[in-house]
Amino acid sequence: MFRFFARLLITALGLIALGGTVGFAQSGQISGRVMDPQGGAIPGVAVQIVNQDRNFKRDTSTNGEGAYSASYLPAGKYEVNVKKEGFSSGN
């Protein structure tokens, strides 16, 4: 009986350890604010966040305060491009 519980405990601990490593993922967030040269917020700007290594793209836009955010991005090197009619584009 003791052997049965010992094996069960070892198996359970092994599964818990394995599950912890399989479930681990690396991700991050990019956020910022788009402003005009005078420091005023620009709402409604199209923001494209591009992972340069994987060619992964995420599109979002700025809110009323000029802020944008993209969560759960895979780790890597990113470029942020912004575009709005009437403004010169930048990154």
Side-chain angles (χ1 to χ4, degrees):
M1 188 71 148
F2 175 77
R3 282 185 163 180
F4 171 76
F5 285 114
R7 286 183 185 166
L8 181 62
L9 179 61
I10 291 170
T11 302
L13 290 175
L15 290 174
I16 290 170
L18 180 62
T21 58
V22 171
F24 181 73
Q26 290 184 339
S27 65
Q29 176 179 340
I30 294 177
S31 59
R33 192 165 176 217
V34 180
M35 299 180 289
D36 64 22
Q38 290 75 34
I42 306 174
V45 176
V47 179
Q48 186 175 66
I49 300 167
V50 181
N51 182 311
Q52 295 177 334
D53 300 325
R54 299 180 182 176
N55 199 28
F56 169 83
K57 297 176 183 178
R58 172 82 56 89
D59 293 316
T60 187
S61 60
T62 59
N63 63 16
E65 298 173 351
Y68 66 90
S69 180
S71 301
Y72 305 107
L73 298 170
K77 184 178 176 183
Y78 283 86
E79 178 178 296
V80 178
N81 300 302
V82 296
K83 185 177 182 180
K84 182 166 177 143
E85 189 174 322
F87 289 87
S88 60
S89 63
N91 53 345

